[in-house]
Amino acid sequence: MADLQSLDTIVSLAKKRGFIFQSSEIYGGLGAVYDYGPLGVELKQNIRREWWNAMTRKHDNIEGIDAAILMHPRVWEASGHVSSFNDPMIDDKQSKMRYRADMLIEDHIRRLQSKGKTDDAKRVQELLDTSGTRKSLTEDLYDIIIGEEIHSPDSGAFDWTEVRQFNLMFKTQFGSTSTGDNNDVVYLRPETAQGIFVNFLNVLNTSRQAVPFGIAQIGKAFRNEIVARQFVFRMREFEQMEMQYFVNPESDVENYHRWREERLNWHLSLGVREENLRMADHPKDKLAHYAKMAVDVQYHFPIGWQEVEGIHDRTNFDLSRHQEYSGKKLEYFDPKTQQRYVPFVIETSIGLDRCTLMVLCDSYREEEVAGDKEGSSETRTVLKLHPKLAPITAGIFPLVKKPELQDLANKLVHQLNDDYKVQYDEKGSIGKRYRRMDEAGTPFCITVDFEGLADQTVTLRDRDSMEQIRVSIDKIDQAIRDKAKNWKPE
Ligand code: GAP
């Protein structure tokens, strides 16, 4: 049994089976923008539902909202995105490729380490860590790249432009009387969180909640990412699932630790294997300007350990800034303790697309199994998805194309499709139909045969063990429910 070796394998399976396509493909595609196909949209929807239920239904002090993508431009001044949501970029003049300056230097440090030049690696790391203290940040990064003679990774050239700050927010014009000047500029939100902060009072005043309480939201976010070459891991249009938990400033630490644990458990509840998940604390000197403490939930992708979710203690940074920029008080008065304060916020923020990629990667297996012919073997590709996430829960097949079997199979489709996404399939051999369902991650296949016509039974095939059991038709719903409930990752 082999796990996933390369992200390319998932990219081609995703395209071949209709999980994920490149946007506007017939026009040559649009960089780092993707569309979800029939299987992908179901998978994504199931993950979205799991998150929403875990965060809102299972917590009676968390409310949901759905804020607009376009917000008042002052929001992004208050949040700091206008002034500092930048990446320092440098262009290779020969290939015209653009790179993140700090990442070029980090790659150079890794190369020095792998060559055993630890003193040099340490020296450059120190230069990188203190960038912005000698001249400006961009000038210091440029000096390191030139001083260390870092060559372009793709062309090998040493012909760089200056380092420039590149803001990642997409701008658009607002209203039909747009004059093209900066007065009508609005941004496509780069995170959903700010829609929550600006609605803090609205939710507090209308929902009868009291601190501590949370606001959850799922929605699109947009970032003009420069280095976006890793499929749906880094996209320009993506979906976030964020929750801001408003707490008394004296209880932020305990709530931060509680949410770390809850969020890791949620990832495990999706069936992601424990050995592929880890928590990576942000070192104090690498914390975002608004954060007191932060940790990433990381997954071991074929491209290495990478962040899937971030949990931050954002202090009262955002509410205080919105209070300052809007002139509206965003305080909370606690009637029990008679305290008045601007609440602290514990944020949990996960990318739905990145989470979908994690689930696809973790479920991917190639297995040697018996072939159709006696004594032969073949490789099956199977997605061992948790049944609650699988795009199709059950494939329903008549053994052969005979009306009495087709009728019963169709009857089963109607019996199950209120509760599950099921798919009828009568094309090809049973073996081929199983393989198609394995690749789609379908946990159960139900086959109607002549034996079953007589005693009203069908065979239920388990995707992971490939075992088949005979189940009476009126017990099939229960059998699927029990198997799905008891499913464990292997
Ligand atoms: N409100 C906090 C925030 O936005 P972030 O670390 O920038 O924090 C949170 O983003 C999550 O959103 C990340 O952990 C990742 O899963 C997802 N994400 C961020 N940028 C992304 C991108 N360009 N493409 C896909 N997902 C992205």
Side-chain angles (χ1 to χ4, degrees):
M1 183 168 82
D3 279 9
L4 186 63
Q5 302 298 323
S6 144
L7 199 57
D8 291 344
T9 310
I10 284 291
V11 177
S12 51
L13 180 78
K15 181 174 170 173
K16 178 176 144 214
R17 291 312 317 266
F19 280 95
I20 302 169
F21 309 117
Q22 193 167 23
S23 160
S24 324
E25 202 182 348
I26 59 168
Y27 287 96
L30 186 64
V33 185
Y34 292 90
D35 298 339
Y36 285 78
L39 292 184
V41 74
E42 294 286 345
L43 174 60
K44 200 172 163 197
Q45 178 64 18
N46 292 342
I47 298 173
R48 192 189 277 117
R49 187 198 56 233
E50 284 301 311
W51 186 88
W52 189 256
N53 288 350
M55 299 305 268
T56 63
R57 293 209 188 151
K58 302 240 165 99
H59 293 95
D60 57 12
N61 70 342
I62 300 184
E63 304 284 348
I65 63 162
D66 183 13
I69 286 170
L70 300 177
M71 302 181 74
H72 195 287
R74 291 277 284 164
V75 167
W76 305 110
E77 288 172 32
S79 67
H81 283 83
V82 171
S83 59
S84 51
F85 194 50
N86 299 317
D87 275 346
M89 306 304 299
I90 190 165
D91 292 14
D92 171 353
K93 285 191 211 159
Q94 296 195 4
S95 69
K96 312 279 182 246
M97 297 276 280
R98 183 167 283 169
Y99 301 92
R100 279 247 322 251
D102 54 332
M103 285 189 169
L104 278 181
I105 300 169
E106 278 176 4
D107 287 346
H108 175 67
I109 295 170
R110 271 193 289 276
R111 273 195 303 278
L112 290 174
Q113 272 159 345
S114 67
K115 286 183 192 158
K117 298 184 176 176
T118 41
D119 286 348
D120 281 338
K122 207 165 152 224
R123 177 180 54 74
V124 183
Q125 184 70 57
E126 266 165 34
L127 284 174
L128 178 62
D129 291 347
T130 50
S131 293
T133 58
R134 291 173 290 279
K135 301 179 195 162
S136 67
L137 175 71
T138 49
E139 285 170 305
D140 283 351
L141 293 174
Y142 179 77
D143 288 349
I144 301 174
I145 291 171
I146 301 303
E148 293 299 312
E149 294 189 25
I150 299 176
H151 287 240
S152 169
D154 296 288
S155 73
F158 184 59
D159 193 5
W160 296 111
T161 61
E162 302 288 293
V163 175
R164 280 175 301 226
Q165 289 287 12
F166 193 94
N167 193 285
L168 300 187
M169 281 198 293
F170 282 100
K171 277 183 191 168
T172 187
Q173 299 293 132
F174 201 63
S176 57
T177 56
S178 144
T179 54
D181 64 29
N182 259 351
N183 294 335
D184 1 313
V185 163
V186 287
Y187 300 96
L188 301 187
R189 65 180 176 197
E191 62 171 9
T192 57
Q194 299 303 325
I196 292 180
F197 292 123
V198 301
N199 277 297
F200 163 69
L201 276 189
N202 285 337
V203 176
L204 181 67
N205 294 337
T206 54
S207 63
R208 302 182 60 76
Q209 293 287 357
V211 170
F213 78 100
I215 305 179
Q217 176 173 216
I218 301 177
K220 289 274 187 169
F222 302 83
R223 295 183 190 177
N224 202 358
E225 298 280 4
I226 327 292
V227 186
R229 300 181 198 122
Q230 291 150 329
F231 195 39
V232 295
F233 181 81
R234 200 176 303 283
M235 304 159 86
R236 295 200 167 101
E237 174 182 339
F238 58 101
E239 210 165 329
Q240 286 188 316
M241 308 193 287
E242 297 199 296
M243 194 277 301
Q244 323 295 135
Y245 199 68
F246 300 91
V247 301
N248 183 311
E250 287 160 19
S251 67
D252 63 325
V253 177
E254 84 196 55
N255 279 293
Y256 169 75
H257 287 288
R258 172 196 151 198
W259 279 107
R260 282 173 68 117
E261 201 176 319
E262 271 208 33
R263 293 306 305 151
L264 178 62
N265 287 336
W266 182 81
H267 286 260
L268 293 169
S269 79
L270 297 185
V272 178
R273 289 166 294 177
E274 200 166 358
E275 65 270 26
N276 288 337
L277 287 168
R278 73 177 186 194
M279 301 296 266
D281 286 292
H282 291 205
K284 278 246 168 322
D285 58 334
K286 293 258 160 58
L287 286 173
H289 59 284
Y290 53 74
K292 179 172 158 187
M293 291 179 286
V295 65
D296 290 340
V297 181
Q298 293 187 339
Y299 176 73
H300 198 198
F301 286 99
I303 50 172
W305 285 98
Q306 300 285 347
E307 170 189 349
V308 178
E309 170 157 10
I311 298 144
H312 281 81
D313 178 345
R314 286 182 81 126
T315 67
N316 59 8
F317 175 83
D318 302 86
L319 287 181
S320 301
R321 292 277 288 198
H322 286 305
Q323 189 165 263
E324 183 189 333
Y325 278 67
S326 69
K328 294 267 176 337
K329 281 245 169 292
L330 297 176
E331 290 176 342
Y332 176 73
F333 177 71
D334 187 333
K336 282 195 207 123
T337 62
Q338 299 286 301
Q339 282 175 300
R340 187 178 293 281
Y341 53 80
V342 178
F344 271 34
V345 167
I346 308 302
E347 169 186 78
T348 73
S349 174
I350 175 169
L352 176 53
D353 310 87
R354 208 175 273 188
C355 183
T356 304
L357 182 63
M358 167 180 76
V359 164
L360 281 172
C361 290
D362 205 63
S363 64
Y364 184 92
R365 308 280 196 289
E366 285 173 16
E367 292 178 351
E368 240 4 75
V369 293
D372 277 349
K373 291 202 189 96
E374 186 82 32
S376 70
S377 72
E378 60 179 59
T379 306
R380 77 160 178 159
T381 297
V382 54
L383 296 182
K384 295 195 167 176
L385 293 166
H386 194 305
K388 69 184 176 183
L389 301 184
I392 303 166
T393 306
I396 302 181
F397 316 146
L399 184 63
V400 288
K401 290 184 196 167
K402 290 276 183 223
E404 54 275 49
L405 299 185
Q406 290 167 318
D407 286 350
L408 184 52
N410 274 312
K411 205 177 122 199
L412 266 168
V413 168
H414 291 293
Q415 179 179 326
L416 293 172
N417 69 7
D418 268 346
D419 296 324
Y420 304 106
K421 167 89 180 155
V422 295
Q423 194 171 80
Y424 178 88
D425 188 5
E426 58 177 29
K427 285 199 206 97
S429 69
I430 277 288
K432 290 226 164 60
R433 285 181 256 173
Y434 284 156
R435 293 292 167 269
R436 277 202 291 272
M437 287 295 169
D438 288 344
E439 265 188 352
T442 306
F444 309 111
C445 288
I446 300 166
T447 305
V448 177
D449 54 18
F450 288 107
E451 193 186 333
L453 272 188
D455 60 2
Q456 292 292 291
T457 61
V458 289
T459 62
L460 179 64
R461 181 233 191 209
D462 181 288
R463 173 198 64 201
D464 300 349
S465 65
M466 294 188 289
E467 274 168 19
Q468 296 182 33
I469 52 171
R470 202 157 262 288
V471 181
S472 138
I473 287 175
D474 57 1
K475 302 236 166 60
I476 198 83
D477 310 46
Q478 191 59 45
I480 289 179
R481 208 167 301 126
D482 291 347
K483 275 179 162 285
K485 206 165 169 206
N486 297 325
W487 184 87
K488 294 260 172 329
E490 50 179 55

